[in-house]
Amino acid sequence: MNLKINLQEEVKMSEYAGIEDKLEKTKSYGLYFENNAYYMNKDGETTGPYCSCCYDFYAKLVRLHSVNNIRENEEFYICPKCKTKVLKVEY
């Protein structure tokens, strides 16, 4: 029984280590958080927005899709993976 628990803990730790490595790698790409989403600024060019949920929990950069809901008169971004919604902010 202890061997099974130890193996499960080892698997979890290796998954966390993999996520930490991915987070460090993407930080070097100029990733920053703004208006409830992540953006990347590399060589003076900004890309995004990317899903904060997918990045924070799984270290995956998933580009948000733009949605215009005419009936509700709202514009937002939605993640195709986890379905997180982020309202668009205009300056």
Side-chain angles (χ1 to χ4, degrees):
M1 186 78 157
N2 278 342
L3 180 61
K4 184 177 181 181
I5 292 171
N6 288 340
L7 287 175
Q8 288 174 339
E9 289 176 3
E10 281 186 42
V11 168
K12 283 183 182 180
M13 292 306 289
S14 67
E15 287 174 358
Y16 291 135
I19 288 174
E20 287 177 358
D21 291 343
K22 286 182 182 179
L23 290 173
E24 284 303 314
K25 185 177 179 181
T26 53
K27 283 180 185 176
S28 69
Y29 295 147
L31 197 67
Y32 64 95
F33 187 78
E34 184 176 284
N35 299 323
N36 297 317
Y38 284 101
Y39 295 84
M40 192 179 315
N41 188 340
K42 189 173 182 184
D43 300 327
E45 186 176 331
T46 300
T47 60
Y50 298 98
C51 179
S52 60
C53 181
C54 288
Y55 183 74
D56 291 344
F57 288 102
Y58 310 109
K60 293 186 181 278
L61 284 175
V62 179
R63 188 180 298 274
L64 297 173
H65 294 188
S66 180
V67 176
N68 293 320
N69 186 343
I70 296 171
R71 191 177 333 161
E72 300 291 326
N73 194 28
E74 65 181 3
E75 295 181 44
F76 57 91
Y77 296 107
I78 190 165
C79 177
K81 177 74 175 152
C82 72
K83 307 304 181 209
T84 295
K85 290 182 181 179
V86 178
L87 288 176
K88 287 185 180 181
V89 177
E90 300 281 331
Y91 292 104

